[in-house]
Amino acid sequence: MGKRIGWALVTLTAASALAWCVSGLWSALERPAPTPNPPARAPVAAALAPGREEISADGEREADTFSAPGREGEDRQAALGAGAPAEGEGRSLDLPAAGRTPRPRHIRGVYLSGFVSRSSEQVHKILNLVELTPLNAVVVEVKDDTGRLWLGPEMAELAAELNRRGIYSVARLAVFKDDALARRFPELAVRRADGRPWKEGGQWVSPYERRVWEYNVAVARQAAELGFAEIQFDYVRFPDVRGEVRLIYPGRDGRSRSQVIRDFLRYARAELQPEGVAVSADVFGLVTTAEGDLGIGQVLEELAPVVDYLCPMVYPSHYHPGCYGLPDPDRMPYETVYTSISGAVERLQAAGIEVNLVPWLQDFSLRHRYGKEEIWAQIRALSDAGIHDWLLWNVAGRYTWSALIGCEVAEERMIVPPPARTAASGGALAAPRRPPEERKVGGPAKEAGEQEAPPPAPAPEAAPAEAGAATAGEAGEAGEATAAEPAPAGSGPGLPPKESRGAPAAPLPAQTSPEAAETEEGVTSTQV
């Protein structure tokens, strides 16, 4: 009897233990997993690690459109240390990577903003324009001055299509004007003395901060991987400060502004050299003739040797009346461009520096209406100054077809018709030859971020710009075609490359972005 009671107790105990185990396991399955501790804030380059995310214009995270390749080690960066002299500065280009279109002898290109690049119809028009005219290059925005990244499948398709057609492709990215980066990492932002962020059309990040350098080079490397043959850095400067304003730059050291800008471009060029891409930089138009750094860190003789190409923005509308002794530079495109570029050529030659200028020209209207005569006048001015490379700017992508269709190319140079007596300058298009000292304007600026600047150009709709300096900010409604544009046409992706000339371009498979419609309403994207 006692044995039976003992076995019963053992059986009951075992059953209870089994039930408790099953209940515990079931509860464990139903219980949510514990939330891990949030990761510590990582450096900029690590925050945008491979296959993760991008920073949008409003500072919030967006979906997977950016994947920055990892660095190859810190030893290379240490060898480049801040201010370290580079050996054998000059052209750094090897043969282009497989699939990339080689650089033509002379560049003739147009600009395509990030918004416009998302519209198949707009891209189609640009490709038609290149196919039917002497144009041979397209500059595409991959990072705008808000910090927004235009990378992803659409951009990869566009880069591939440009290369397939034999069109030289340039990826443009804004560097130190970056509202998104400044909001996401406020410790990198330029601030006023009272701690408030400095805003000049948006927030800026400190040019002294190495993390900012690394982030922008990572973006440039990604663009190179997509197939672009050249990286063009814009807003590669300090903020354009006027009046008694003191700014705080995180990471500031003993280097001057011009040294910092030069060191960044030298660093970026060395980092991108293994990618087989060229490196260029946009600079203010007045940099070609001004003494000092204009308070923004851009000095012609210091920047030209550390990039493959220097791109002064010599838009006549951005020079104030009286500049170069001209009563209205906007109405005198030949004289304005010739004086600016011939001054740069003389300075570089006098310093024993190779002339590597690819100027930005104006195909938009602010105060004076620009059409084919004004565009021809600018191109003619460059040719008379010995420069045959140029880029046309229109933020909305609406270019003056009549200025390009029908022009001939001789020795890889575009030949424009002779000047009309009814041109904006009244036919007085003789090359002005002033002594270099008379063409120089401005002067050395104070190093504390406070500088005197020439009075601003009287253009209320123009974007904030240094007085008379060639920034690319404009409303974009100008430069509409003065001749009928060929209707979009095409027969699919099998069209021949540009060498066949005359075949209309086929639309890309990229989807039309809703944001693209905003370009028609004057979305601005100033460049400097």
Side-chain angles (χ1 to χ4, degrees):
M1 183 70 174
K3 291 182 179 180
R4 290 180 180 178
I5 294 175
W7 281 111
L9 290 174
V10 170
T11 303
L12 181 61
T13 301
S16 299
L18 179 61
W20 181 85
C21 290
V22 171
S23 175
L25 288 173
W26 184 258
S27 298
L29 291 174
E30 290 185 330
R31 188 182 305 123
T35 303
N37 294 328
R41 174 174 290 184
V44 174
L48 300 177
R52 292 194 183 169
E53 52 222 351
E54 71 169 330
I55 296 179
S56 66
D58 58 4
E60 299 296 331
R61 292 294 188 178
E62 290 189 350
D64 304 320
T65 58
F66 174 64
S67 57
R71 291 184 52 80
E72 298 177 6
E74 296 298 325
D75 53 340
R76 205 153 124 214
Q77 175 183 334
L80 287 173
E87 297 181 0
E89 288 181 339
R91 291 293 183 269
S92 63
L93 305 182
D94 297 320
L95 293 176
R100 290 193 190 127
T101 299
R103 187 182 192 277
R105 180 183 176 188
H106 295 298
I107 291 291
R108 300 178 294 273
V110 291
Y111 165 73
L112 192 61
S113 73
F115 280 107
V116 175
S117 70
R118 292 292 179 91
S119 167
S120 296
E121 180 180 358
Q122 293 271 56
V123 170
H124 185 192
K125 287 183 179 180
I126 294 296
L127 293 181
N128 269 339
L129 180 65
V130 177
E131 292 286 340
L132 299 174
T133 67
L135 294 175
N136 56 20
V138 174
V139 180
V140 185
E141 184 174 61
V142 300
K143 177 176 177 273
D144 63 28
D145 60 8
T146 71
R148 180 167 184 170
L149 302 174
W150 298 92
L151 296 167
E154 297 93 344
M155 190 60 68
E157 292 169 0
L158 176 56
E161 185 68 9
L162 291 173
N163 285 320
R164 190 188 71 79
R165 293 170 179 264
I167 300 172
Y168 186 69
S169 58
V170 181
R172 169 189 178 268
L173 62 107
V175 182
F176 299 122
K177 185 181 179 184
D178 192 327
D179 194 79
L181 193 62
R183 291 177 183 273
R184 177 67 178 85
F185 297 94
E187 69 273 16
L188 302 177
V190 178
R191 304 187 304 278
R192 294 175 178 267
D194 60 7
R196 291 180 297 155
W198 167 257
K199 293 185 179 180
E200 181 189 325
Q203 292 193 50
W204 289 65
V205 289
S206 175
Y208 290 94
E209 279 285 355
R210 182 58 68 100
R211 287 193 292 166
V212 175
W213 295 16
E214 293 173 350
Y215 168 53
N216 281 280
V217 168
V219 176
R221 190 178 289 114
Q222 177 72 8
E225 290 183 348
L226 292 182
F228 287 95
E230 180 176 328
I231 303 299
Q232 184 184 94
F233 291 109
D234 195 13
Y235 284 97
V236 58
R237 65 172 175 88
F238 280 70
D240 183 18
V241 185
R242 299 165 190 262
E244 297 299 322
V245 178
R246 179 175 175 79
L247 298 182
I248 298 174
Y249 294 94
R252 183 171 182 173
D253 51 34
R255 289 175 294 166
S256 66
R257 290 183 295 255
S258 60
Q259 285 178 317
V260 173
I261 300 304
R262 180 197 62 198
D263 290 344
F264 165 73
L265 290 173
R266 178 184 289 157
Y267 163 81
R269 190 185 189 193
E271 289 288 301
L272 294 171
Q273 185 173 5
E275 306 294 335
V277 294
V279 171
S280 57
D282 295 338
V283 296
F284 271 15
L286 278 181
V287 168
T288 63
T289 54
E291 295 178 343
D293 72 345
L294 292 173
I296 59 173
Q298 293 182 347
V299 177
L300 182 71
E301 289 84 354
E302 292 188 25
L303 298 185
V306 298
V307 292
D308 295 295
Y309 309 105
L310 203 60
C311 307
M313 297 172 284
V314 292
Y315 313 120
S317 64
H318 284 53
Y319 291 81
H320 62 79
C323 190
Y324 298 146
L326 304 175
D328 188 352
D330 191 22
R331 290 181 175 272
M332 306 177 74
Y334 177 92
E335 290 84 351
T336 303
V337 171
Y338 179 84
T339 304
S340 176
I341 296 302
S342 63
V345 171
E346 290 176 4
R347 286 178 60 173
L348 293 175
Q349 291 177 340
I353 300 171
E354 181 179 358
V355 177
N356 56 349
L357 303 176
V358 184
W360 279 100
L361 302 180
Q362 176 173 336
D363 191 359
F364 59 89
S365 302
L366 288 181
R367 297 176 303 281
H368 173 67
R369 179 69 180 180
Y370 266 55
K372 64 180 181 181
E373 291 290 344
E374 288 75 11
I375 295 172
W376 287 344
Q378 294 175 84
I379 296 173
R380 193 180 302 112
L382 291 182
S383 180
D384 289 348
I387 301 299
H388 304 283
D389 300 70
W390 44 264
L391 302 167
L392 290 179
W393 175 273
N394 184 291
V395 73
R398 296 195 293 267
Y399 294 96
T400 307
W401 287 62
S402 61
L404 301 169
I405 289 180
C407 290
E408 298 180 356
V409 175
E411 297 181 355
E412 298 190 38
R413 302 173 183 176
M414 180 169 161
I415 308 300
V416 299
R421 299 300 298 178
T422 57
S425 58
L429 297 178
R433 300 296 298 177
R434 297 185 181 85
E437 59 272 19
E438 294 184 16
R439 287 201 296 269
K440 294 177 181 177
V441 296
K446 292 179 289 185
E447 200 56 52
E450 308 167 0
Q451 79 270 12
E452 298 296 330
E461 65 271 47
E466 166 271 335
T471 64
E474 84 287 335
E477 68 274 8
E480 296 181 19
T482 56
E485 298 178 2
S491 56
L495 290 178
K498 182 179 176 65
E499 286 71 16
S500 63
R501 182 95 43 203
L508 296 179
Q511 297 179 351
T512 300
S513 170
E515 298 101 342
E518 298 182 32
T519 60
E520 300 298 329
E521 299 301 327
V523 172
T524 60
S525 176
T526 59
Q527 77 166 2
V528 173

